[in-house]
Amino acid sequence: MSTPATFPGVRLHVVTGKGGTGKTTVAGALALALARRGKRVLLVEVEGRQGIAQTFDVPPLGTEEERLVSDPSGGEVFGLSIDAKAALLEYLHTFYKLGRAGSVLEKVGAIDFATTIAPGVRDVLLTGKVYEAVGRRTGGRSSTGRNKGGQPIYDAVVLDAPPTGRVVRFLAVNEQLADMAKAGPIRSQADSITEMMRSKETAVHIVTLLEEMPVQETIDAIAELRAERLPVGAIVVNQVREEILDDDELAAVAKAVTQPSPELAEAVRADLTAVGVKATAAMAQGLLTEAAEHADRVALQREQEADVVAQGLPVYRLPSLPDGLDSGGITVLADALGEQGVA
Amino acid sequence: MTTKAAAKAPHLDLAALVDDPGTRIVVCCGAGGVGKTTTAAALGLVAAERGRRVVVLTIDPARRLAQSLGLTELDNTPRPVAGVDPASGGSLDAMMLDMKRTFDDVVEQHATPEKAAQILANPFYQAVSSSFAGTQEYMAMEKLGQLRAQAEEDDSWDLIIVDTPPSRSALDFLDAPKRLGSFLDGRFIRLLMAPAKAGGRAYLKVLSGGVTLATQTMGKILGNSMLDDVQTFVAALDTMFGGFRERADVTYALLGADETAFVVVAAPERDALREAAYFVERLDAERMPLAGVVLNRMQRLAAGSLSASRAASAAEELADGEESPTARTTSGLLLLHEDLAETAARQRAHATRFVAGHPGVPVTEVPAAAQDIHDLDGLREVGGALLR
């Protein structure tokens, strides 16, 4: 088992993972875990799915940052669903003081073009907004000059990023853009964003389940991130099911399964009858069949677990929540991250 | 296994669907991680072994699944799958989508060689074709259109099964004709193309001063060399856009036709079912032919007659009571069963809620496989469960 790291100097936590692994939930739990340590955290989503609102059970987020949680420690979680169009207009306003030209661009469809059709521009705007939030300091919204005088507004930004298949393209989009734009303000902005993404202030965490495909995608993503010199943080194994049987019990059951015999089924049936269960031979056999499948699944999970650990990265494990996020599930996950050293 | 919830919903009869020669296209959609690609492949295999001549278009299959289909290289061409039982006269081909290559093919087919070369070399095009959000969705549909046309032409297949990209935007292709339309008719495009078309300043006369301001602003923001690239790209694409849009219309019509069936794949979990609800409602709004929903990976119980609570109390009693030599094994079996039975009950509750919210939508359930699927036998088993 790897020792979990704490990522003390990291201010941008990027959370990715294969679709269906629960990366939005994990991003939410991470933001909450940081807030419980007294930090002021911005949780950001970029795919317009309103996953944050669902996770924290609040009305859909708008284009303004909204406070989702205030922790007694003084920590806070703010939520934002970044909208490419709003980000572009804000960008134009900040950098070009565009009054009329901004609305003209909107009128001729340039804004729509830039945010839906033009390649990569959307991702540039989204990462640009994240960059702005990470760099924002008291005493003025400065995303270019990193005004060193003020304090950062947010101690950390947690980004619910696109899934593993697209995340590298998303994070490295500014480099692609830099290839296209040889000079000019976009170029320098792109360079600064790329620099931040590759700095020690950033960590890309990958969420996985102990299943073949998510683990494979995790391993692939680690290689791709490294190839782009993007800093890989931790692997978060989500939905780890409680071990129902300890190793001795499992061994006893496994033995029953590997050496099936009518005698054993009969003995199980007798045990059941002894404690008042109206057991049939079929029921006893059914229990043995379920155990055989369980043993297979445990073996498979251990294989996947070994592959995860072999990556040599910090590994966090989050429990499976039987009731999903209802009844405070996100708090359980945040606690689990806290206990494993996230700070 | 109980099927109380499914009993309320009409049964999705996939056997009847794939046996019907009138079914020519099956589109599998759903959230990521629910087994969509496996479902598409399994459906293809069993349909082929029931006599259909099938091609399966997969988007991003798991490595071992791809290997089981003989998809070792991404070459954008359907290849026969080895090991399919040909006794019923059917066949199975499979392919993985290469989105950039599909886009390149479109360009090469619809532009003069000279213009095609110009487009392919344009940095803007290279970015669009490999990273434009939504390209995968568009290209999946483009490829579907191509396969359908080829099937018509040389009668190579009578059933096309399409896997879709694992996101909500998988349904973006439904908007393709509309989006392309408003894009092409947009003033911005005319503005971008104006200098290239009119060559010089003539365009200033036709377009308003606001537009000039817009171009200047764009130049200022993007840098003039990038603006030039964009203009060249858009102008170059201009010639092929007409065809692009026409085909998007044809594909849209094809998707809505009687020969097509949409199958929404879901897992019995809250998030996956929420996505499934979105797909079902969206398809309904577009009047697309929804065949029904596959509830995948349902927990099955081999000892279903024993309730979770009864199993728990029996396990406790066994632990307390007189030791029989097998007491420890039996109590382990009971604890395990309790957990499985609780999972099954939870999934059942999710399924019931979904069915109640979508009355009349046919549903079929597929039990969870104990192992990952990585060979044809595994696929065949899933296929058998799908067709029940």
Side-chain angles (χ1 to χ4, degrees):
Chain A
M1 301 249 168
S2 324
T3 322
T6 55
F7 303 104
V10 171
R11 302 208 32 247
L12 173 59
H13 294 272
V14 179
V15 180
T16 181
K18 179 176 155 46
T21 56
K23 67 184 176 57
T24 302
T25 307
V26 172
L30 177 57
L32 190 55
L34 294 169
R36 295 189 148 198
R37 302 281 169 115
K39 292 191 172 178
R40 193 180 159 95
V41 186
L42 178 65
L43 173 61
V44 172
E45 71 178 355
V46 291
E47 298 196 299
R49 291 190 305 120
Q50 291 297 340
I52 295 176
Q54 282 163 17
T55 303
F56 286 89
D57 200 16
V58 295
L61 298 175
T63 51
E64 295 294 317
E65 290 152 33
E66 284 172 45
R67 186 162 60 201
L68 304 173
V69 177
S70 310
D71 191 76
S73 67
E76 289 171 302
V77 178
F78 288 78
L80 173 66
S81 175
I82 304 182
D83 173 71
K85 202 159 157 175
L88 178 56
L89 289 170
E90 185 186 314
Y91 175 87
L92 292 176
H93 182 76
T94 314
F95 286 88
Y96 300 97
K97 308 281 177 269
L98 289 185
R100 186 164 120 74
S103 64
V104 166
L105 286 177
E106 168 98 68
K107 222 162 85 194
V108 298
I111 302 289
D112 276 341
F113 172 83
T115 53
T116 58
I117 313 275
V121 170
R122 195 186 165 77
D123 290 354
V124 170
L125 290 165
L126 299 172
T127 51
K129 178 69 190 169
V130 171
Y131 173 77
E132 184 271 330
V134 173
R136 200 186 304 158
R137 283 169 181 264
T138 52
R141 301 160 66 90
S142 162
S143 60
T144 37
R146 289 263 175 139
N147 138 34
K148 299 284 183 205
Q151 287 298 310
I153 299 272
Y154 291 111
D155 298 314
V157 174
V158 177
L159 169 63
D160 176 14
T164 34
R166 293 204 301 116
V167 72
V168 171
R169 219 156 57 201
F170 177 78
L171 296 175
V173 68
N174 288 283
E175 196 176 58
Q176 282 179 32
L177 185 83
D179 291 344
M180 279 192 278
K182 308 274 183 283
I186 284 248
R187 171 64 192 251
S188 55
Q189 163 93 350
D191 286 346
S192 315
I193 295 174
T194 304
E195 192 187 321
M196 177 196 70
M197 293 289 183
R198 286 179 175 161
S199 76
K200 285 186 178 139
E201 289 196 337
T202 299
V204 183
H205 308 299
I206 308 169
V207 182
T208 188
L209 306 177
L210 291 181
E211 290 171 14
E212 184 200 351
M213 260 198 93
V215 169
Q216 187 56 53
E217 280 202 18
T218 299
I219 295 170
D220 292 347
I222 291 168
E224 285 172 40
L225 288 164
R226 286 185 174 149
E228 280 291 335
R229 289 184 283 136
L230 291 161
V232 184
I235 300 177
V236 182
V237 180
N238 197 16
Q239 297 173 23
V240 177
R241 291 180 70 168
E242 203 185 327
E243 296 272 347
I244 305 152
L245 305 181
D246 64 30
D247 279 355
D248 287 350
E249 288 166 333
L250 195 65
V253 170
K255 189 160 162 261
V257 167
T258 47
Q259 300 162 4
S261 66
E263 291 77 20
L264 179 67
E266 182 47 37
V268 168
R269 198 191 66 79
D271 285 339
L272 292 172
T273 310
V275 291
V277 176
K278 278 188 204 135
T280 59
M283 182 189 284
Q285 194 48 58
L287 291 176
L288 288 167
T289 306
E290 286 174 1
E293 288 174 2
H294 177 75
D296 280 352
R297 204 161 39 234
V298 169
L300 199 70
Q301 280 186 4
R302 293 199 170 162
E303 232 174 81
Q304 302 301 333
E305 165 91 25
D307 285 350
V308 166
V309 170
Q311 297 305 305
L313 292 167
V315 178
Y316 295 98
R317 292 173 182 80
L318 296 179
S320 165
L321 299 172
D323 297 321
L325 287 179
D326 304 341
S327 55
I330 192 81
T331 317
V332 174
L333 299 182
D335 285 346
L337 285 173
E339 281 160 19
Q340 292 172 66
V342 165
Chain B
M1 197 173 85
T2 70
T3 46
K4 257 186 255 160
K8 276 188 244 153
H11 176 66
L12 169 59
D13 190 348
L14 288 170
L17 185 77
V18 298
D19 286 345
D20 178 358
T23 307
R24 306 292 302 272
I25 296 172
V26 174
V27 183
C28 297
C29 41
V34 297
K36 188 159 34 87
T37 307
T38 305
T39 301
L43 207 52
L45 176 61
V46 289
E49 295 189 337
R50 291 164 80 98
R52 300 299 299 266
R53 285 171 296 122
V54 186
V55 59
V56 175
L57 168 59
T58 67
I59 305 293
D60 192 13
R63 198 160 297 176
R64 286 156 90 178
L65 176 64
Q67 281 164 1
S68 73
L69 292 171
L71 294 171
T72 45
E73 52 182 328
L74 187 111
D75 64 355
N76 219 25
T77 313
R79 302 267 177 224
V81 177
V84 179
D85 178 5
S88 309
S91 61
L92 178 63
D93 291 355
M95 68 168 289
M96 253 189 283
L97 178 74
D98 178 339
M99 94 181 157
K100 172 139 178 46
R101 190 121 162 206
T102 305
F103 211 146
D104 290 354
D105 289 347
V106 173
V107 172
E108 279 164 352
Q109 274 166 30
H110 295 273
T112 60
E114 192 190 337
K115 198 154 220 169
Q118 195 190 355
I119 298 176
L120 296 183
N122 183 291
F124 231 73
Y125 167 77
Q126 288 169 356
V128 175
S129 59
S130 51
S131 71
F132 165 28
T135 302
Q136 206 175 38
E137 289 78 8
Y138 285 91
M139 287 307 128
M141 289 306 115
E142 175 67 35
K143 197 74 206 175
L144 169 62
Q146 286 176 13
L147 292 173
R148 185 66 183 81
Q150 192 183 336
E152 194 79 344
E153 209 175 280
D154 62 9
D155 198 31
S156 34
W157 308 292
D158 60 23
L159 179 61
I160 303 169
I161 297 183
V162 201
D163 176 24
T164 52
S167 67
R168 223 170 228 221
S169 56
L171 290 186
D172 277 0
F173 58 78
L174 295 175
D175 294 331
K178 226 175 0 188
R179 272 170 77 170
L180 279 172
S182 67
F183 174 63
L184 294 172
D185 299 336
R187 286 165 68 192
F188 185 64
I189 281 305
R190 281 181 287 148
L191 151 77
L192 280 176
M193 289 184 313
K197 269 189 174 164
R201 292 197 181 160
Y203 75 100
L204 288 177
K205 279 187 220 152
V206 249
L207 298 167
S208 72
V211 161
T212 316
L213 178 58
T215 356
Q216 282 166 358
T217 313
M218 292 294 291
K220 199 162 131 197
I221 298 169
L222 298 173
N224 283 320
S225 72
M226 184 161 162
L227 189 60
D228 283 349
D229 277 346
V230 178
Q231 285 174 331
T232 314
F233 165 63
V234 172
L237 280 184
D238 182 39
T239 38
M240 55 173 282
F241 261 138
F244 211 87
R245 190 175 166 189
E246 211 170 275
R247 282 198 316 289
D249 282 332
V250 170
T251 308
Y252 187 82
L254 194 61
L255 290 172
D258 287 343
E259 68 173 64
T260 302
F262 281 84
V263 173
V264 174
V265 184
E269 290 148 18
R270 193 189 62 149
D271 291 353
L273 282 171
R274 188 188 289 134
E275 287 300 292
Y278 167 81
F279 281 113
V280 166
E281 285 153 22
R282 181 76 209 278
L283 289 168
D284 185 53
E286 299 274 349
R287 300 181 185 285
M288 289 290 158
L290 171 69
V293 176
V294 172
L295 277 180
N296 209 2
R297 302 187 178 166
M298 292 292 285
Q299 178 67 56
R300 52 182 169 180
L301 296 174
S305 57
L306 185 60
S307 75
S309 53
R310 191 74 193 86
S313 62
E316 211 167 298
E317 275 183 64
L318 265 176
D320 294 345
E322 198 105 321
E323 282 272 318
S324 93
T326 51
R328 178 144 208 175
T329 303
T330 305
S331 81
L333 292 172
L334 286 167
L335 290 175
L336 204 54
H337 178 76
E338 179 201 1
D339 182 66
L340 294 177
E342 275 174 355
T343 303
R346 207 160 43 234
Q347 293 182 347
R348 176 62 52 213
H350 285 306
T352 307
R353 212 171 307 146
F354 177 83
V355 166
H358 299 88
V361 173
V363 171
T364 189
E365 297 183 2
V366 177
Q371 295 278 6
D372 285 335
I373 307 295
H374 39 71
D375 56 21
L376 286 191
D377 285 339
L379 278 181
R380 213 169 265 130
E381 207 174 302
V382 174
L386 279 166
L387 262 50
R388 254 186 317 109

